[in-house]
């Protein structure tokens, strides 16, 4: 019998919702700030009071256009909003203003490895409120639910891929790339755990060689990349088992349960006509003129893939180092600033990847929340390059720059950390160290050359690391051979 894994082809399309980082909501002036007291960031418009009128936030359109350009989409000159009707306690208006047949962006793609994953559309819509299922047992067993309307009306972008993804790993890679892009564009903070970036995965399988797609299930509720990958793997196996047993996959929405590691049926799939879409009568159709799109294009930052390539090919960083730096926007911005002012890229990257990252991890702070600036960091690198301070001394200076700021030069002066430039001072210490350790001198003379390391260590201890290693070495060899 043919192996099950090679018998079926996996077909996946992702619908990604990204909360946009605007200051105010999509159709009113209520703030979008996260973590505020429940139901405090609301107004008659986002609460859906009768008679109120939505006013489109221009920043939402700008962000959608910028994202569309980054994802190689066509930007629609004419676009409109539509009403999607449904009843649910988190939706006070009983309809969501969304875009149906004329989305702002169409027909783009995102490169994942060798493959272009096509993007069908990006549309703008408003988020619903958040239901909090109270009581001990969570959703199934809770005795009552609470609703927080602070999220109602937060702008969303829905980015819909074509069913071009063919494995769980590829879906994850696509999602990771998308997250990186929206973060670099500054349009979404990309936090899966907090739900500012959410993903519904449409999954189907078909026998290899079959043209028509199989019936899909839509899986929701994955709050991490790991969950996304696991949920898809689980769902593929579930569908293979059904078909192998002679059954049929039914089209439905399924919920991923991260604790149990399974998906379970939530509701049968709704169709577009169930929502009774019609053009939103309270908003005029939208015209986005080409000039504005051109202006937005001019503000496009360097995207992660291009940045990573530049770090590797132009700055000579390893693939790994380039990847780590680009993964953290703060690091990459900081690094770019240091490098464009002429500092050595390799050295800067080593410090960032090494001591700086270690400090940030240990103290659980973000680079941008410390007192380290590109300027004072560069000065420190210069002092090392000139030989004015040793790398070891620099490590202690770095901690002070991070914690208190100031300049490396001042710290060196105040604390007497500069290298001993006077050779006779070093010579005196070398002579003393040799005289104090007759046994080790014996060993050296007997041919055990490794003890040189011991002597170097002693001199460094005496000078608190302020002696130049090459000078110390040379003098030690001279004195030991006397
Ligand atoms: P709906 O709006 O009903 O969810 P769409 O046609 O807009 O349906 O598709 C939603 C997503 O499902 C898209 O990402 C699309 O690529 C994907 N998709 C459509 N058909 C299939 C299929 N047979 N298998 C896997 N994914 C699919
Ligand atoms: Mg859908």
């Amino acid at each position: 019998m043919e192996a099950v894994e090679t018998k079926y082809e996996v077909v996946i399309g992702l619908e990604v919702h990204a909360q946009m980082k605007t200051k105010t909501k999509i159709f009113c002036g209520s703030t979008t700030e996260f973590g505020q007291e429940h139901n405090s960031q609301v107004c008659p418009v986002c609460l859906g009071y009768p008679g109120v009128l939505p006013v489109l936030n221009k920043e939402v359109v700008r962000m959608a256009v910028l994202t569309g350009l980054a994802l190689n989409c066509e930007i629609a000159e004419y676009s409109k909003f539509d009403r999607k009707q449904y009843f649910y306690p988190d939706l006070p208006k009983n309809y969501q203003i969304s875009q149906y047949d004329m989305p702002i962006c169409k027909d783009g793609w995102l490169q994942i490895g060798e493959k272009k994953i096509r993007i069908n559309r990006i549309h703008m819509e408003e988020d619903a409120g958040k239901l909090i299922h109270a009581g001990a047992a969570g959703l199934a067993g809770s005795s009552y639910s609470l609703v927080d309307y602070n999220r109602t009306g937060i702008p969303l972008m829905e980015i819909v891929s074509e069913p071009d993804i063919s494995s769980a790993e590829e879906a994850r890679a696509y999602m990771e790339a998308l997250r990186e892009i929206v973060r670099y564009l500054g349009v979404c903070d990309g936090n899966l755990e907090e739900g500012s970036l959410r993903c519904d995965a449409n999954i189907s399988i078909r026998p290899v060689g079959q043209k028509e797609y199989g019936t899909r299930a839509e899986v929701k509720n994955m709050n991490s990349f790991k969950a996304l990958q696991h949920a898809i793997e689980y769902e593929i196996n579930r569908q293979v088992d059904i078909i192998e047993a002679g059954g049929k996959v039914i089209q439905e929405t399924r919920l991923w349960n991260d604790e149990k590691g399974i998906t379970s049926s939530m509701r049968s799939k709704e169709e577009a006509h169930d929502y009774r879409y019609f053009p939103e009568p309270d908003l005029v159709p939208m015209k986005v003129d080409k000039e504005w799109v051109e202006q937005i294009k001019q503000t496009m930052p360097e995207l992660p893939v291009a940045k990573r390539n530049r770090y590797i090919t132009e700055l000579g960083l390893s693939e790994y180092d380039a990847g780590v730096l680009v993964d953290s926007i703060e690091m990459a911005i900081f690094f770019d600033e240091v490098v464009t002012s002429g500092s050595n890229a390799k050295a800067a990257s080593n410090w960032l990847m090494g001591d700086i990252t270690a400090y940030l991890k240990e103290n659980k702070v973000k680079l941008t929340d410390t007192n380290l600036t590109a300027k004072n960091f560069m000065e420190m690198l210069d002092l090392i390059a000139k030989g004015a301070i040793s790398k070891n001394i620099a490590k202690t200076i770095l901690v002070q720059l991070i914690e208190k700021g100031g300049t490396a030069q001042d710290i060196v002066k105040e604390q007497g950390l500069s290298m001993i430039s006077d050779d006779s001072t070093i010579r005196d210490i070398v002579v003393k160290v040799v005289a104090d350790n007759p046994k080790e001198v014996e060993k050296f003379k007997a041919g055990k050359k490794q003890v040189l390391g011991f002597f170097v260590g002693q001199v460094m201890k005496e000078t608190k690391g302020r002696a130049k290693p090459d000078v110390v070495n040379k003098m030690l060899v001279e004195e030991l051979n006397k």
Side-chain angles (χ1 to χ4, degrees):
M1 206 183 100
E2 208 179 342
V4 168
E5 302 87 72
T6 54
K7 206 165 145 189
Y8 297 101
E9 190 189 339
V10 173
V11 174
I12 301 167
L14 297 186
E15 295 166 279
V16 175
H17 285 94
Q19 267 183 0
M20 291 192 233
K21 264 171 64 177
T22 52
K23 288 210 172 69
T24 55
K25 294 185 178 179
I26 182 168
F27 300 124
C28 64
S30 295
T31 159
T32 56
E33 218 175 306
F34 188 76
Q36 299 300 300
E37 195 188 330
H38 300 309
N39 296 307
S40 64
Q41 315 299 313
V42 291
C43 75
V45 175
C46 53
L47 285 176
Y49 281 23
V52 297
L53 289 173
V55 177
L56 178 60
N57 181 345
K58 191 174 179 183
E59 184 63 359
V60 170
V61 186
R62 185 193 68 81
M63 288 185 175
V65 169
L66 185 65
T67 309
L69 291 170
L71 295 175
N72 310 292
C73 290
E74 219 178 274
I75 310 300
E77 209 177 338
Y78 292 95
S79 169
K80 71 172 167 73
F81 284 92
D82 300 277
R83 254 185 214 192
K84 180 181 182 182
Q85 356 267 326
Y86 66 98
F87 171 80
Y88 210 61
D90 63 7
L91 189 75
K93 290 204 297 281
N94 288 336
Y95 60 83
Q96 177 193 31
I97 303 181
S98 179
Q99 294 195 289
Y100 183 53
D101 56 345
M102 291 174 76
I104 179 90
C105 310
K106 292 181 299 198
D107 299 330
W109 48 266
L110 174 56
Q111 185 90 29
I112 299 298
E114 300 293 299
K115 199 160 146 187
K116 272 192 174 120
I117 309 292
R118 289 168 305 154
I119 289 171
N120 172 285
R121 58 194 272 144
I122 302 176
H123 69 251
M124 303 172 280
E125 61 187 26
E126 54 183 338
D127 208 345
K130 199 178 166 80
L131 286 176
I132 299 149
H133 302 290
L139 181 56
S142 67
S143 43
Y144 62 95
S145 296
L146 300 166
V147 63
D148 182 2
Y149 290 124
N150 284 354
R151 202 175 71 178
T152 311
I154 299 236
L156 292 178
M157 238 177 337
E158 180 170 340
I159 305 166
V160 182
S161 86
E162 294 290 348
D164 289 349
I165 299 167
S166 29
S167 70
E169 301 85 70
E170 201 169 78
R172 178 182 180 147
Y174 170 87
M175 189 68 179
E176 283 175 343
L178 209 53
R179 173 180 189 260
E180 223 170 36
I181 289 172
V182 293
R183 294 189 66 205
Y184 266 84
L185 296 178
V187 299
C188 171
D189 63 23
N191 194 325
L192 275 71
E193 283 79 12
E194 283 176 9
S196 62
L197 191 66
R198 314 193 278 267
C199 168
D200 303 340
N202 293 270
I203 304 152
S204 67
I205 58 169
R206 61 180 168 188
V208 170
Q210 179 181 304
K211 266 222 179 86
E212 305 79 46
Y213 290 134
T215 304
R216 70 183 143 127
E218 183 172 338
V219 182
K220 289 179 183 293
N221 200 35
M222 293 83 79
N223 297 325
S224 66
F225 290 112
K226 216 169 97 202
L228 173 69
Q229 191 173 339
H230 284 169
I232 295 175
E233 279 162 2
Y234 176 89
E235 187 55 26
I236 293 167
N237 288 330
R238 190 188 69 90
Q239 295 186 10
V240 168
D241 287 349
I242 291 175
I243 292 174
E244 284 291 302
K248 271 195 176 133
V249 173
I250 48 169
Q251 192 168 334
E252 61 182 351
T253 302
R254 300 180 67 85
L255 268 191
W256 169 246
N257 182 322
D258 208 37
E259 266 158 44
K260 294 190 183 148
I262 58 169
T263 64
S264 53
S265 184
M266 178 170 125
R267 57 168 184 252
S268 67
K269 176 73 189 163
E270 67 288 345
E271 304 282 342
H273 62 248
D274 294 331
Y275 291 118
R276 301 292 188 273
Y277 277 102
F278 65 76
E280 170 56 51
D282 290 340
L283 288 165
V284 289
M286 196 173 48
K287 183 170 180 281
V288 173
D289 60 59
K290 291 207 167 76
E291 232 170 80
W292 190 42
V293 173
E294 207 41 54
Q295 280 170 18
I296 296 172
K297 203 183 255 173
Q298 299 306 317
T299 67
M300 180 75 66
E302 183 179 35
L303 293 175
V305 171
K307 201 183 271 294
R308 208 174 286 119
N309 285 338
R310 178 168 62 84
Y311 286 0
I312 295 167
T313 55
E314 286 178 30
L315 302 178
L317 299 195
S318 71
E319 222 167 278
Y320 177 79
D321 291 3
V324 173
L325 287 181
V326 171
D327 265 354
S328 152
I329 300 181
E330 293 92 26
M331 288 265 182
I333 291 172
F334 188 91
F335 177 72
D336 277 340
E337 213 178 312
V338 172
V339 171
T340 41
S341 335
S343 280
N344 181 298
K346 261 263 164 51
S349 145
N350 287 342
W351 281 96
L352 274 165
M353 306 267 304
D355 284 61
I356 296 176
T357 299
Y359 182 96
L360 300 177
K361 265 209 186 121
E362 202 180 306
N363 295 281
K364 298 195 177 64
V365 282
K366 282 202 316 196
L367 182 59
T368 41
D369 293 337
T370 72
N371 287 306
L372 191 68
T373 62
K375 189 157 173 283
N376 62 24
F377 176 60
M378 267 155 43
E379 280 170 6
M380 188 191 90
L381 294 183
D382 282 350
L383 292 180
I384 302 170
K386 279 194 302 206
I389 54 172
S390 71
K391 270 195 190 151
N392 263 331
I393 295 275
K395 282 173 191 271
T396 68
I397 294 176
L398 178 72
V399 173
Q400 300 185 53
L401 291 179
I402 291 176
E403 290 177 354
K404 296 192 223 99
T407 75
Q409 189 73 60
D410 287 347
I411 296 173
V412 167
K413 255 196 225 144
E414 279 160 25
Q415 301 170 20
L417 299 175
S418 63
M419 299 303 271
I420 300 169
S421 51
D422 173 17
D423 281 3
S424 69
T425 310
I426 300 178
R427 174 78 66 179
D428 289 347
I429 295 167
V430 167
V431 170
K432 179 173 173 290
V433 164
V434 170
D436 284 352
N437 294 282
K439 272 193 191 148
E440 307 301 320
V441 177
E442 283 298 302
K443 284 187 198 160
F444 183 84
K445 294 209 159 145
K448 218 179 158 199
K449 300 294 173 206
Q450 306 95 289
V451 285
L452 187 62
F454 163 79
F455 283 106
V456 172
Q458 292 301 307
V459 175
M460 286 305 179
K461 214 163 136 192
E462 290 282 324
T463 59
K464 298 201 173 66
R466 292 165 54 234
K468 291 198 174 103
D470 52 335
V471 176
V472 173
N473 256 301
K474 190 171 138 272
M475 287 185 184
L476 272 170
V477 172
E478 284 166 11
E479 292 302 322
L480 286 168
N481 283 319
K482 267 190 185 161

